[in-house]
Amino acid sequence: MDGSERRAPYYRSVGREREVFRTAARERLPVLLKGPTGCGKSRLVEAMAHELGRPLVTVACNDETSAADLLGRYLVRGAETVWQDGPATRAVRSGAILYLDELAEAREDVLVVLHPLADHRRELFLDRRDEQISAADGFQLVASFNPGYRRGPKDLKPSTRQRFVAIALGYPEAEAEIEIVSTETGVERGVAKRLVSLASKIRSLTEAGLTETASTRLLVAAARLIGAGVPPRVACRAAIVEPLTDDHATARALGDLCDLGF
Amino acid sequence: MDGSERRAPYYRSVGREREVFRTAARERLPVLLKGPTGCGKSRLVEAMAHELGRPLVTVACNDETSAADLLGRYLVRGAETVWQDGPATRAVRSGAILYLDELAEAREDVLVVLHPLADHRRELFLDRRDEQISAADGFQLVASFNPGYRRGPKDLKPSTRQRFVAIALGYPEAEAEIEIVSTETGVERGVAKRLVSLASKIRSLTEAGLTETASTRLLVAAARLIGAGVPPRVACRAAIVEPLTDDHATARALGDLCDLGF
Amino acid sequence: MDGSERRAPYYRSVGREREVFRTAARERLPVLLKGPTGCGKSRLVEAMAHELGRPLVTVACNDETSAADLLGRYLVRGAETVWQDGPATRAVRSGAILYLDELAEAREDVLVVLHPLADHRRELFLDRRDEQISAADGFQLVASFNPGYRRGPKDLKPSTRQRFVAIALGYPEAEAEIEIVSTETGVERGVAKRLVSLASKIRSLTEAGLTETASTRLLVAAARLIGAGVPPRVACRAAIVEPLTDDHATARALGDLCDLGF
Amino acid sequence: MDGSERRAPYYRSVGREREVFRTAARERLPVLLKGPTGCGKSRLVEAMAHELGRPLVTVACNDETSAADLLGRYLVRGAETVWQDGPATRAVRSGAILYLDELAEAREDVLVVLHPLADHRRELFLDRRDEQISAADGFQLVASFNPGYRRGPKDLKPSTRQRFVAIALGYPEAEAEIEIVSTETGVERGVAKRLVSLASKIRSLTEAGLTETASTRLLVAAARLIGAGVPPRVACRAAIVEPLTDDHATARALGDLCDLGF
Amino acid sequence: MDGSERRAPYYRSVGREREVFRTAARERLPVLLKGPTGCGKSRLVEAMAHELGRPLVTVACNDETSAADLLGRYLVRGAETVWQDGPATRAVRSGAILYLDELAEAREDVLVVLHPLADHRRELFLDRRDEQISAADGFQLVASFNPGYRRGPKDLKPSTRQRFVAIALGYPEAEAEIEIVSTETGVERGVAKRLVSLASKIRSLTEAGLTETASTRLLVAAARLIGAGVPPRVACRAAIVEPLTDDHATARALGDLCDLGF
Amino acid sequence: MDGSERRAPYYRSVGREREVFRTAARERLPVLLKGPTGCGKSRLVEAMAHELGRPLVTVACNDETSAADLLGRYLVRGAETVWQDGPATRAVRSGAILYLDELAEAREDVLVVLHPLADHRRELFLDRRDEQISAADGFQLVASFNPGYRRGPKDLKPSTRQRFVAIALGYPEAEAEIEIVSTETGVERGVAKRLVSLASKIRSLTEAGLTETASTRLLVAAARLIGAGVPPRVACRAAIVEPLTDDHATARALGDLCDLGF
């Protein structure tokens, strides 16, 4: 889990996101990454953890994650009761980057526990141990958030949002995305170009009723199948069309786009 | 539970599903099988586990399955506390196929726990043990999903769907289905043909208000009863009509179709 | 709980239900009994358990029944932790008939746990013990379901229904019902006849706003009271009218029918 | 809790309820008492327990009562684990009257557990102990139910209702109620008469928007206050008007009725 | 918690509430105090406990209070399991006044547990201990209830309400309230008079959209601030206006009333 | 956690809030701070704790906080069971300021437990220990509340609100805010002025559909980024625009305002 021990992860910038992230880290300001599925939010965090030379602790937020899951708990081991730090506590003590993936999915009690960690106090209170921890140097709170769906009940509260410097990410420009697809999968540039062109057509289909559109992740999967010998049209249906929709008419329309491309 | 120790399960392909599945396995891409009740999704997984020579770990997803049920838990056994791996952990450690049946029924926390397993990381994090496991070679994540019902609240989130290569399955063509029914049950081809013809009529009744239509599974059950001596009309009512509807008028209409067929 | 040790329960067939049940048992197909309250579903199961010479394990399904209640659990007994099989596990191990009364009331997690038991696998997976059990010879899954009420949220899912051969039961014909009432209670045939005639009138009152109509069970209760000396009109009100409705106008109308009959 | 050890409770019949109850007890049929708040349902059960010479076990049903609360549970006492029978189990073993007060408030799982106790089986299954108990001679199941409110979600299911012989109770006739009020409280007949007359006026006010009307219980409370020296108008307001309504206009109207009466 | 050991609490009667309370206590009838926030319900109970020379046990009812919280529970203390009486059990055993503050907030299971305590039985059943306790002499059940808000779901059920003698309390007459404010805080009569006059204006503002109006409690707080040197207009805003409303327009209107008064 | 051991926190008054707070503390009246996100409520409490020389115990209220989390609980440590005071109990025993941040988020049972602490009784009842604690001298209850959102279900009940002296806070006047931004971050006055001017424009955009508007906290974050070398327009987008909205059109409009300011 120590980002610095791995080789630098592949991440291609789409704007000034690295500069803002780097400065926020220096200024001890929490960072919120906003963007759609598969646009590279987690990759950016991995890349920054590598650049800043800090360990990375990732927590996939969800409705069942309790404050105890983040902070830690007492475990009964035979006749002994031992305290086990949770991931947030570990990150705070060790000065790691604490990455809360899909923060809006977390329950409110989790968010509220993080508030004193996300302002000038930089403190975490372990109520079960009655212990207050100040964040070690280098600790940084990072969260991701997908504003595209989950409107309403699962929106982040202003009192949470306004604790973060927020960076909006989108899908990369065509040139950058072609580079990503071919670098990641080894397919020849021509195939990558056709996939990116197909994605661009799908992304412009605002009337197709898709909850989200084709992410870079899908293009990479299609390129992998093609590189391994699956006919491109079959690969695009399996890796792009079927993951995007269950509606027969929409699937047929997207399939036609695939056939046009290959 | 080791698929390779059993005789090859009977599975008849309906398209290029085996090729896509095989390539996705080689490329370490998770696979999502989409299709209606009783179309053979579980059979395909059993057949592929056999072909690929990997053990198969099946989890029937439901609303009550917690992340702990998948990952494992500490059990108190007398004075000792022992850790017991859950099915997902076992599959990840042993390089098995982990088959999540009816993935859309799983709670969100379960889905989120699987995210790092379903992308380039191929990792599982056991928070209770504070242990990170990398998937053994050969590990593959497979899930099934029935898009026909459960619209809305129980739809899979894009951030989950887009991690899978998806294969859409349907009911087999008439010829293939006749072969399946007679091979599975031993009834003579004529009976199988009439059952498939009956199913085809029922499947075309879009206005009958059925939640789902007659699956291959129902035809096999009817053929079994007939082969054991139950009069065909009685068998079709018990194995096809009554499982499909509780509405008296619909049941009568479907019953008339049965009488026409036999 | 061993059906074979009791005297044969009284059950009078209303159609070919015993033949279908018997064949499904031989063909290892699960059976679903559909029908209204008090029409004899449980009696049929008791009679078939007796005929087939198998023990009968009954589980009254409800919203609170968890998978653990069916499968079993670890119990702490002093310093020891012992496993206790639940009723489903016992039935699977011993080759009994497992009768799930009012299956639609069960929670989805319970249904899903039973899926591998209800198809060609005939297996039960005890996740807490990490143990897979194959059903002993003679094991059969039987469930009951009342389609009359509980529309909508509590409907059985197609993926559950299509695993069963389904038998629809109704109230018996007049002659059969008269025989049942007099055999069960010892009242003279004339009284039984008047009660069945009264029931027939009530059953035809579709506009009375009754959730369900007068079952054979109610007639038997009324006959018992009459046989014990309660005046017939008082007995019919207590055993038939008041259990059917709380509405004063409806109760008066049903009471008038009673007075006409006696 | 043994009804036979107390002096005979005061209960004045309003119809043939004692005869039906007595016969149902002899015929081993469960009894359901239906009627409004404070009409004497619990008193009738106490009186019948005394007459039949059986112990009485009362359970006040509510939304939180679980099956375990009725059946019993394992308790950890120091190093030992002991089983403690719940009230239903005790009643079944000892042949007592089990009185489930306000049955419609009970959760469905509780009702379902009682089903095999409420039909010809007269059995209780303790799943935690895997023990089946047949009811001792003299055991009788009695339940009460207030049909006046709680429409809809909390209605008893037909499959539960049709297991009972049901007795509808109402408020007593004027003469009987005067006798009850004066016997219970010792006030002179004239006061009791005026209170009953006041109750009769309030009960006829169907347009006052009262959820329930003035019960005999309220008259008894008012008579007690009056007997202890509180001015009748003050007593009627405190014991009758204020318990019935929080609405100022309604309270004033009811207060005027009190003033007219005294 | 023993009311008799404290000095007599200050309570000024607004009607015949003490007489009714005293008689109900003698006649062993439960008492329900109805009235708005801050009108002195708790003070009346304290005063009566003092007058009657009984200990006072107060329970602040809420949605999370379980029956076990009231009745008691087994606690594990090292190797021993000890029973700890809850407040209701203590009150019943010791003949105290049990005061259930805001009874309508309690869950239904709590209410139902109290039913046998609130009628002629005066008994409490501890299901966990299988123990029945008869209330000691002098035990009295008192509850408070604010009918002003919480309409509908949280209304007390008739079967609960009709077990109580109910006393409706309101805010005191001007003269009495002036006396209360000056006695409680020591401010001079002129200030108290102006505050009561301000309250009277606010209470007549039925169209201001306030959930509740200015209670005596608010006047006392304002008087305290004024007595400690805060300018009256600032004090009235902080102690009266801001606690009553968050709406800017309403706050301004109420503020203008304050300015007119001082 | 002892406020007096830290250097005086920076807090700039916006009205008479310190005087009212100070007097309420002396008069033992609880204080409620009302105001929007990031306006300085927590800073005011820190400053007052410092001025009054009292320790500060902060609890971030949320939907999952139970009464036990505030009061304390028994913990099993090996063979021993020890009681651990919760933060409220600690504050009450030690005479600290108990600061309940975002009180309206707390569950009702938590609020009700605090009621006897918030009136003349100043008592806390630990039901698990059956112990009543009187607040030490110097104890003060302080709560914060953001009336801007969370209308309806999460509004504070009048019976809770009317126990507090309430202080309404808003964003500071321009001059004060410029001083705060430059003092906190060290940016030159010109930058601070432009940021405050930008905030003032955003705050006047009532039609932009923002849940809350730009807080002082956001200006401080932007100033930090600018001070660290991030171009002002990029800094304002990351620190002000993106935290405020996910809507593309709104973000563009706010971005234009940023561009106009720098």
Side-chain angles (χ1 to χ4, degrees), chain D residues 105 215 238 242-243 245-246, chain E residues 27 34 108-109 123 161-162 166:
Chain D
E105 303 296 323
S215 67
E242 293 295 342
T245 186
D246 298 324
Chain E
E27 291 295 313
K34 310 192 329 188
E108 207 184 296
D109 63 316
E123 286 172 348
R161 292 176 70 115
Q162 297 205 8

Side-chain angles (χ1 to χ4, degrees), chain A residues 1 6 37 42-43 46 58 60-64 69 73 75-79 84-85 90 101-102 105 149-150 154 211-215 217-218 221 224-225 228-231 234 237-239 242-246, chain B residues 16 19-20 23-24 26-29 32 34 74 76 79-81 107-110 112-113 115-116 118-121 123 125 127-130 132 145 147 151 155 157-168:
Chain A
M1 284 167 78
R6 303 189 171 173
T37 284
S42 298
R43 287 280 177 111
E46 289 179 24
T58 300
C61 296
N62 63 73
D63 217 52
E64 304 296 318
D69 289 332
R73 52 168 57 85
L75 291 179
V76 180
R77 292 248 172 84
Q84 189 190 48
D85 276 351
R90 259 187 301 122
D101 199 6
E102 304 218 24
E105 304 296 323
Y149 53 94
R150 297 267 162 202
K154 282 266 183 151
T211 317
E212 292 217 12
T213 190
S215 68
R217 188 195 299 266
L218 294 190
R224 284 245 185 93
L225 291 183
V230 174
V234 174
R237 271 182 178 73
E242 293 295 343
L244 281 177
T245 187
D246 299 323
Chain B
R16 307 185 77 140
E19 176 184 358
V20 173
T23 311
R26 210 182 317 133
E27 289 296 314
R28 304 178 153 211
L29 292 167
L32 179 69
K34 308 192 331 187
Y74 283 105
V76 180
E80 247 182 316
T81 308
R107 288 197 315 222
E108 208 184 294
D109 63 315
V110 166
V112 155
V113 156
H115 277 190
D119 60 23
H120 66 285
R121 291 173 282 180
E123 285 172 351
F125 180 63
D127 54 347
R128 302 284 155 122
R129 281 169 75 79
D130 197 10
Q132 188 108 6
F145 170 53
R151 296 217 167 258
D155 239 18
K157 294 198 308 176
S159 66
T160 299
R161 294 177 69 115
Q162 298 205 7
R163 286 160 200 276
F164 289 88
V165 164
I167 300 171

Side-chain angles (χ1 to χ4, degrees), chain E residues 62 105 215 238 242-243 245-246, chain F residues 27 34 108-109 161-162 166:
Chain E
N62 64 73
E105 303 297 323
S215 68
E242 293 295 342
T245 186
D246 299 324
Chain F
E27 291 294 315
K34 309 192 332 187
E108 207 185 295
D109 63 316
R161 293 177 70 116
Q162 297 206 8

